[in-house]
Amino acid sequence: MVNRFVLNTISYHGSSAIKEIPGEIQHHGYTKEFVCSDLDLVKLGITDKVINLLDEAKILWSLYSEDKPNPMIHNVQDGVVAFKKSGADMIVAIGGSARAADVIAENSEFSDVVSLEGIAPTKKHATLALAAPITAGTEAEVTINYVIADPKEVRKFVCVDTNDIPEITVVDPDMMALVLAGLTAATGMDTPTHAIEGYTTTAALELSDMFRYKATETISHNLRDAYAEAKRGKPAQEP
């Protein structure tokens, strides 16, 4: 049996990892960034952590704050329109994954979004994207899978596409520490679910087992402390 293991090209991990973002942008020769985030992250000042770095490096940017963690079809289509209108040549996704919009920007024949369901037969790689997640959960920033909601049919559908994986990922625990305790707990519990699922699936292999086993172990040792720290850090913002 032949196994396929797909990850993104470059990943940064560790405290202050977001400081690597300007250098990666400049290294690739891009001139204007489409900063894709959502209103809650903007209000909490999390998005500014990245924007301030772009300003310091004199990198032009355009902010799109209507991204959604669980995007619907029309959210994706709105994102494509906003990206093209911005004149940007690269996407920096903060929090939300900006998935589908980046691949449709290069493959307009999939603009209905629904045709991306399943193993999408796209021809061109998505617009180069840098993903900076602020939660630990689905691993959308380093995988070829993502989910879109279809409100008309009242369902969600899965898209699988190697052309859509973000090429650069920056996983900075300092960014994750800025979210509310409730979100830390919810996404923190989502993480072992994915890890255990990946470990027990019949499609697993030794390489993926290594990551899944270590992820489960690390989560079990740290999730309670992460939640407690988030609780202490933002008591006034908790519902």
Side-chain angles (χ1 to χ4, degrees):
M1 181 177 71
V2 177
N3 295 302
R4 184 177 70 162
F5 196 81
V6 182
L7 289 175
N8 60 319
T9 306
I10 300 170
S11 292
Y12 290 96
H13 296 262
S15 179
S16 299
I18 60 169
K19 292 182 179 179
E20 303 293 333
I21 292 176
E24 278 294 332
I25 293 171
Q26 293 167 334
H27 172 73
H28 284 84
Y30 291 92
T31 59
K32 185 176 181 180
E33 309 316 303
F34 184 70
V35 179
C36 192
S37 189
D38 65 56
L39 287 174
D40 287 338
L41 298 183
V42 173
K43 291 175 182 177
L44 288 171
I46 295 175
T47 306
D48 284 343
K49 298 290 185 181
V50 173
I51 287 178
N52 290 341
L53 292 172
L54 299 181
D55 284 340
E56 290 172 9
K58 295 180 171 54
I59 296 173
L60 298 176
W61 53 269
S62 174
L63 175 62
Y64 178 70
S65 59
E66 299 300 322
D67 192 23
K68 306 294 180 184
N70 296 291
M72 297 184 185
I73 291 173
H74 70 275
N75 297 138
V76 173
Q77 293 169 330
D78 290 346
V80 174
V81 172
F83 171 69
K84 291 182 176 181
K85 188 179 295 185
S86 73
D89 49 14
M90 179 178 169
I91 296 173
V92 175
I94 305 171
S97 59
R99 304 296 290 271
D102 58 352
V103 77
I104 292 174
E106 302 295 332
N107 298 270
S108 60
E109 64 271 27
F110 294 91
S111 59
D112 67 333
V113 184
V114 178
S115 57
L116 289 172
E117 182 174 5
I119 301 176
T122 56
K123 303 300 182 185
K124 300 178 182 178
H125 196 281
T127 296
L128 192 140
L130 183 153
I134 52 86
T135 61
T138 64
E139 304 165 354
E141 68 277 2
V142 292
T143 64
I144 63 177
N145 308 314
Y146 59 98
V147 176
I148 302 295
D150 183 348
K152 184 177 179 180
E153 299 294 331
V154 194
R155 71 186 185 107
K156 291 183 178 181
F157 58 88
V158 177
C159 306
V160 182
D161 188 357
T162 56
N163 277 331
D164 193 39
I165 188 170
E167 293 190 31
I168 306 167
T169 296
V170 177
V171 182
D172 190 332
D174 298 337
M175 292 282 279
M176 296 182 178
L178 297 174
V179 303
L180 301 178
L183 187 58
T184 298
T187 58
M189 287 304 299
D190 193 30
T191 308
T193 301
H194 284 277
I196 294 169
E197 178 185 48
Y199 187 80
T200 58
T201 178
T202 56
L205 64 153
E206 287 82 358
L207 185 58
S208 64
D209 282 349
M210 175 181 68
F211 287 108
R212 301 303 185 182
Y213 180 84
K214 188 62 179 179
T216 304
E217 180 185 46
T218 302
I219 295 160
S220 66
H221 291 163
N222 293 283
L223 181 55
R224 290 183 180 86
D225 289 341
Y227 174 75
E229 289 177 10
K231 193 76 173 178
R232 286 195 298 269
K234 300 178 179 64
Q237 298 183 49
E238 284 299 299

